Amino acid sequence: MKKFSIGIDIGGTNTAIGIVDESGNVLVKGGIDTPSHGDIDRYVREMSAAVKELAKSVKLMNPDSEIIGMGIGAPNGNYYNGTIEYAPNLSFKGVVHLVELLKVQFPEYQYVALTNDANAAAIGEMIYGGAKGMKNFVMYTLGTGVGSGVVVNGDLVYGHDGFAGECGHTTLIPGGRLCGCGALGHLEAYCSAPGMKRTAFELMVKYNANDSLLADKSFQELNSKMIFDAAERGDKIAQEVFELTGKYLGQGLADTVHHLSPEAIFLFGGPTAAGDYIFKPTIASMEAHLLPIFKNKIKVLPSKLNAGDAAIVGASALVWKEMEK
């Protein structure tokens, strides 16, 4: 009998849903809007209806199939409690007992598990991606923020309260830029996609670079893909954005290495599509900040998860991880 798992990724705007096989292939996918109304019961009903439609279509394609569980990646997701707790970009206030609510809708599923989106990506990398066979690695997700998932001895590190692994909130520059969390100088404020945009505008002001290919872009309009395209065309501002971002990120990765001594660090997210523009300065900076005992030992690798499906696939991998217990 073929076994499948459901992966759900809850974002601030959209909730992506997919059904995934044991090799990480997405058979069917769909989604619903993540609502602004704040009514969690209504949201769970809508999500459940969408899941049941997808499950029905998989059953038609594979009559002898079995869906064994559901994994959910969500901001501020607490694996231990099955809760989303005080997520700033969701309309649901306080502590939401999402796993409990979904178990009522899907009593037939043996496994229903939830964690934060970066942890889900790390488990996805371990089950389906480049970290297969690795027992000690770290996943950094670069996007609107900087998330991370830490795997030690083959298990994700959750800490005593379920919220371990916030490497993006390492203090990089004391008293530096305002981070989205409200603190100053965190790695996220410099190495996230918004952080890269801020670096670009600071450099254009510093050099009075009105001739930069980025000069006519508004802050709202600019994204990391535009910065990459400009760098490819020889734009000095864009190239320096990657150099500085890599310098900062490498410093943060060196801290992670000193704490954990992982076999590898995987980078995932939009900015990593720039390839050597981001990887070369990151690796050079990391090596420059490492103790001699760690130099030239830690691999920094791009994620092997398919970018378009990574959030769904990562969430679905929670189910296979639960089965190992």
Side-chain angles (χ1 to χ4, degrees), residues 11-273:
T13 307
N14 299 301
T15 296
I17 304 166
I19 299 182
V20 184
D21 69 16
E22 292 178 87
S23 299
N25 302 306
V26 179
L27 272 75
V28 290
K29 59 183 176 179
I32 60 172
D33 292 338
T34 304
S36 57
H37 54 60
D39 184 338
I40 186 62
D41 293 317
R42 180 174 152 197
Y43 174 57
V44 167
R45 286 195 301 272
E46 291 169 356
M47 183 199 299
S48 299
V51 168
K52 287 171 184 175
E53 280 300 310
L54 291 176
K56 195 185 300 180
S57 66
V58 167
K59 198 69 177 172
L60 287 171
M61 290 188 288
N62 301 272
D64 62 342
S65 65
E66 179 188 11
I67 294 174
I68 58 169
M70 176 186 296
I72 306 108
N76 288 26
N78 187 320
Y79 170 79
Y80 289 149
N81 301 328
T83 51
I84 298 174
E85 302 187 14
Y86 307 99
N89 61 339
L90 299 181
S91 62
F92 313 114
K93 303 305 177 192
V95 177
V96 175
H97 294 268
L98 187 62
V99 166
E100 192 178 295
L101 292 169
L102 286 169
K103 281 182 173 178
V104 171
Q105 294 286 335
F106 298 95
E108 70 273 25
Y109 292 162
Q110 191 174 352
Y111 306 100
V112 180
L114 171 146
T115 189
N116 76 38
D117 35 12
N119 285 343
I123 293 174
E125 200 69 48
M126 179 166 52
I127 300 292
Y128 305 121
K132 271 185 181 178
M134 288 188 188
K135 296 292 187 183
N136 296 275
F137 72 93
V138 180
M139 174 78 129
Y140 267 75
T141 59
L142 310 178
T144 306
V146 174
S148 56
V150 175
V151 173
V152 173
N153 296 332
D155 287 315
L156 203 76
V157 175
Y158 287 109
H160 85 280
D161 60 354
F163 291 113
E166 290 290 352
C167 299
H169 295 283
T170 303
T171 299
L172 186 75
I173 299 174
R177 288 179 185 169
L178 180 67
C179 182
C181 70
L184 298 177
H186 285 181
L187 183 72
E188 180 174 295
Y190 295 87
C191 299
S192 61
M196 291 179 69
K197 291 200 293 184
R198 288 168 74 174
T199 299
F201 279 90
E202 286 174 4
L203 290 173
M204 284 189 282
V205 170
K206 177 181 175 181
Y207 296 120
N208 193 24
N210 295 321
D211 58 343
S212 169
L213 295 171
L214 308 177
D216 63 340
K217 303 288 189 286
S218 68
F219 188 84
Q220 195 72 21
E221 180 185 6
L222 187 63
N223 59 41
S224 58
K225 173 71 164 60
M226 292 176 186
I227 298 172
F228 169 67
D229 289 341
E232 284 276 81
R233 293 170 63 187
D235 188 272
K236 299 300 182 189
I237 295 293
Q239 290 172 355
E240 191 167 340
V241 169
F242 282 110
E243 286 294 324
L244 283 173
T245 303
K247 173 188 167 186
Y248 295 138
L249 183 57
Q251 186 178 334
L253 298 193
D255 287 344
T256 296
V257 170
H258 291 149
H259 295 153
L260 298 166
S261 188
E263 179 179 345
I265 298 175
F266 289 88
L267 303 183
F268 173 81
T272 65

